[in-house]
Amino acid sequence: MIDLDAIERRANAATPGPWTYHDGCGYVEVPPCGAIEFKPGWERSVHFLARVHNNHVEGEDGLGFDGAFIAAARTDVPALIARVRELETQLRIERENVAELEERLVLCSSRRRGG
C-alpha cells in the first residue's frame, strides 16, 4: 500500500515551485527560500537544488530527461496525490452504492419468495 500521507508530507515540506531544469548546464533550479546561506556576491534570486550528471541517453543529444523529471515532480507529485485521493473518494462512494443495491436486492428476493 502506498502511504499517500507520507508522500504528501514530503511534497509539502519541499521548496515551493515551480522548479525548472536547465539542460545546458544540468541544474535543477528552485525559487529562493530563507534557509539558504549565500556567500558574498552570490545571486539571491534563485538557488540550485541539484546538478544532473550522466543524463545522456544513447542516440539522444543529452536531452536531460532526469533533470526534467526532477523539476516536474514538484508539481506532478501533488497533482497525482490529489487525483488518487479523488479516486479513492469516488471508489468509497461507489462501494457504498453497491452495498445499498445489494441490500435492496436481498430484500426484493426475500419478498418474492414470501419471506
Side-chain angles (χ1 to χ4, degrees):
M1 188 77 171
I2 296 173
D3 188 346
L4 281 181
D5 292 332
I7 295 169
E8 189 170 37
R9 281 192 299 276
R10 288 190 297 269
N12 290 339
T15 302
W19 294 1
T20 53
Y21 175 67
H22 300 280
D23 192 28
C25 62
Y27 285 103
V28 176
E29 178 183 284
V30 298
C33 69
I36 296 204
E37 292 286 329
F38 289 93
K39 294 182 179 180
W42 279 23
E43 178 61 51
R44 293 178 185 266
S45 63
V46 296
H47 69 269
F48 295 106
L49 174 70
R51 183 163 187 206
V52 179
H53 293 281
N54 298 325
N55 60 344
H56 181 76
V57 177
E58 192 67 35
E60 305 289 333
D61 193 21
L63 295 177
F65 297 117
D66 292 344
F69 175 81
I70 292 167
R74 184 64 196 102
T75 51
D76 289 351
V77 169
L80 287 169
I81 291 169
R83 182 65 176 143
V84 168
R85 291 196 189 283
E86 177 186 331
L87 291 172
E88 286 177 336
T89 298
Q90 288 177 3
L91 179 60
R92 181 185 50 77
I93 290 167
E94 292 305 321
R95 283 182 174 159
E96 290 170 0
N97 290 339
V98 166
E100 182 181 329
L101 289 172
E102 286 174 341
E103 288 176 20
R104 287 182 182 179
L105 181 62
V106 168
L107 183 60
C108 287
S109 294
S110 172
R111 286 182 182 163
R112 291 182 96 191
R113 284 183 264 159

